[in-house]
Amino acid sequence: MKRRDLLKGGLVASATLGAAAALPVRTFAAPKAGSLRDRKLFALAKQQLDKAGDAIWKRDIVGIADFGLHSARRRFHFVNLDREEVQSYHVSHGTGSDPEHDGWLNSYSNVEGSNATSKGAYVTWEWYVGRYGTSVRLGGLDSTNDAALRRYIVMHRAKYAEPSHIETWGRLGRSNGCFALGEEQFRIALLNLSGGRLLYADSLGLNEDGSD
């Protein structure tokens, strides 16, 4: 699936801005503050934005899910390129990626019915109300996650993704492959990461000091 193909349908609404409304090329400075980890996240965010090209039309904030860390860690990073800051939250991975339910993601899959997390770049689309309440649709931009729509891989809220779940069980619960967050954290994601932004998932294993 080509990335440009994902702009068809509802996404072409942006064309109403007209050809004359083309945005100038944006450049981002390296963050003035922050840890070595944050600087690595900024570099990765800009790299993935360049790779995604015009499949992404809101380029201020990039979500990076670092599934190389245990689910008890704050591993869902909101990289704000305009404000040069990183905010980190909890996020669940899929049951098919963690069959032992020990909090570690062991494998990825793009196969329907696997209930596993898929790695790669996604574009966040519109929100809708479904099985898990308000959710955000995702479109996979890579061969490793291009079945996201068919698999109903979305961002949604879940009680098993609340920080309180970690206090009780030492880890988050697991999703069916979706990016599941706690109530408050999903609200932040809905406001800051939906509507045409980039979400990237991989096993980076970046600690706060930048080591891996």
Side-chain angles (χ1 to χ4, degrees):
M1 176 182 294
K2 296 182 179 179
R3 298 189 177 196
R4 292 179 182 271
D5 293 340
L6 293 171
L7 297 178
K8 294 180 180 179
L11 301 182
V12 299
S14 60
T16 58
L17 294 175
L23 296 176
V25 176
R26 301 176 65 190
T27 59
F28 303 104
K32 298 176 182 178
S35 65
L36 175 59
R37 181 205 67 181
D38 290 353
R39 293 194 290 273
K40 288 182 178 180
L41 290 171
F42 267 80
L44 179 61
K46 289 182 281 187
Q47 177 192 67
Q48 290 299 318
L49 279 174
D50 289 343
K51 181 181 176 183
D54 57 8
I56 305 299
W57 63 96
K58 291 185 179 178
R59 308 172 74 85
D60 53 345
I61 300 174
V62 174
I64 299 179
D66 183 357
F67 289 119
L69 298 177
H70 190 269
S71 68
R73 302 278 298 277
R74 291 180 177 268
R75 57 184 183 171
F76 196 15
H77 309 295
F78 287 19
V79 182
N80 191 314
L81 296 169
D82 286 348
R83 297 175 60 178
E84 298 184 0
E85 66 180 19
V86 175
Q87 295 181 328
S88 302
Y89 307 98
H90 293 104
V91 65
S92 290
H93 54 246
T95 58
S97 293
D98 179 11
E100 296 179 354
H101 200 2
D102 59 6
W104 291 100
L105 183 148
N106 298 312
S107 62
Y108 295 97
S109 178
N110 193 33
V111 176
E112 294 182 60
S114 66
N115 292 331
T117 297
S118 297
K119 69 177 180 178
Y122 299 80
V123 56
T124 66
W125 287 346
E126 79 284 1
W127 61 268
Y128 69 100
V129 178
R131 176 182 177 185
Y132 298 101
T134 302
S135 304
V136 178
R137 286 189 171 87
L138 302 174
L141 300 178
D142 292 317
S143 60
T144 54
N145 66 356
D146 59 8
L149 277 179
R150 297 194 303 273
R151 296 181 61 210
Y152 300 100
I153 301 302
V154 301
M155 282 197 302
H156 65 77
R157 59 171 56 84
K159 291 183 178 179
Y160 58 74
E162 295 285 354
S164 58
H165 197 280
I166 298 172
E167 297 173 7
T168 302
W169 302 101
R171 62 187 184 279
L172 294 180
R174 300 166 297 172
S175 70
N176 290 329
C178 295
F179 296 81
L181 300 94
E183 178 71 32
E184 178 62 20
Q185 299 184 347
F186 177 75
R187 185 188 66 81
I188 296 171
L190 186 63
L191 292 173
N192 294 280
L193 202 58
S194 62
R197 293 183 172 90
L198 177 67
L199 168 58
Y200 181 71
D202 202 354
S203 296
L204 307 171
L206 292 178
N207 296 304
E208 291 186 16
D209 62 2
S211 63
D212 49 38

